[in-house]
Each structure stands twice: as structure tokens, then as C-alpha cells.
Amino acid sequence: QVQLVESGGGSVQAGGSLRLSCAASGSTDRTNCMGWFRQAAGKEREGVVLINSISGNRYYSDSVKGRFTISQDNAKNTMYLTMNSLNPDDTAMYFCAAGVRYLRECRPIASDYNYWGQGTQVTVSS
């Protein structure tokens, strides 16, 4: 089992920045894909940023490329999402997720991920 706890959400004006954290515990060595999904009101959950802890490869959705950055502190078992140039379209509940895809790259598909955090709200006002 893997436990994920997000923090760092909040309200910010357009153009501002936030950094989300995801603290992982448990059998994290059994997962190779970690990332952030978001779900806006009335919309499907969207995979925005992923990292493969084995290959180091990263995925960024087109909507956040160039503005969001994923990073990890392995000593703290913590993953970060740095979000810059935020706009109202980024308003959503953000979820940390972990899963396994042996010998394959990580995909922004929610069903690939077995473990989820409780979510943290990000609200961007214009």
C-alpha cells in the first residue's frame, strides 16, 4: 500500500504561482509512475504532469507545458508541482497519484494509477 498526502493548494490571482507537495509513504518502491491529475467542476479528471521514477522521463500536458514543473526529493519521499503563470483555467482539485507500469512509460490515464491522495484545491481568479 502507498499513502499520498497533498498540500500547498490555495487561492491565487492570475499570473501567480503555487507549489503543491505530495508526501508519499508505504511501499513506494513498488510504483514507478507518479504524477498530478486535476479535476475541474463538471469535467473529467485530467493527467497534467507525470514522472517515471525509473527512467526519469516526464510528461506534461499541452495545457501546462512551459508553466508547470514536476520534481522529486527522494530523501523526503516527496513530489512537488511548481505552477507558474496560473490562469483561471487551472482552477481545479489537484490529486497526487502513484501507479505501476513495468517497462512502459507513464500515461495520463487515471485508471493506470492505484493510489490517490485526497486532493488539494487550487483556485485562480482573474
Side-chain angles (χ1 to χ4, degrees):
Q1 291 290 327
V2 175
Q3 294 78 42
L4 303 172
V5 179
E6 303 100 333
S7 61
S11 297
V12 65
Q13 289 191 328
S17 300
L18 282 173
R19 190 177 79 157
L20 307 183
S21 300
C22 173
S25 60
S27 302
T28 57
D29 57 329
R30 298 184 181 183
T31 62
N32 68 306
C33 289
M34 289 193 70
W36 294 90
F37 286 71
R38 67 184 182 186
Q39 188 165 19
K43 295 188 177 180
E44 292 187 356
R45 194 166 293 192
E46 171 194 14
V48 292
V49 183
L50 309 171
I51 185 168
N52 186 319
S53 61
I54 295 177
S55 68
N57 288 343
R58 290 161 166 80
Y59 162 86
Y60 293 92
S61 69
D62 288 342
S63 61
V64 306
K65 199 172 294 182
R67 301 187 298 121
F68 289 13
T69 303
I70 190 171
S71 60
Q72 288 181 307
D73 184 333
N74 292 327
K76 296 182 178 180
N77 260 355
T78 300
M79 178 176 64
Y80 302 98
L81 180 63
T82 302
M83 305 183 293
N84 297 319
S85 301
L86 286 161
N87 61 65
D89 290 338
D90 296 315
T91 295
M93 185 73 79
Y94 283 71
F95 297 90
C96 174
V100 177
R101 279 181 59 81
Y102 288 123
L103 303 179
R104 293 174 289 179
E105 279 306 329
C106 306
R107 302 185 301 180
I109 299 173
S111 59
D112 281 359
Y113 298 80
N114 306 93
Y115 306 104
W116 294 85
Q118 80 287 355
T120 185
Q121 179 68 36
V122 171
T123 303
V124 185
S125 58
S126 57

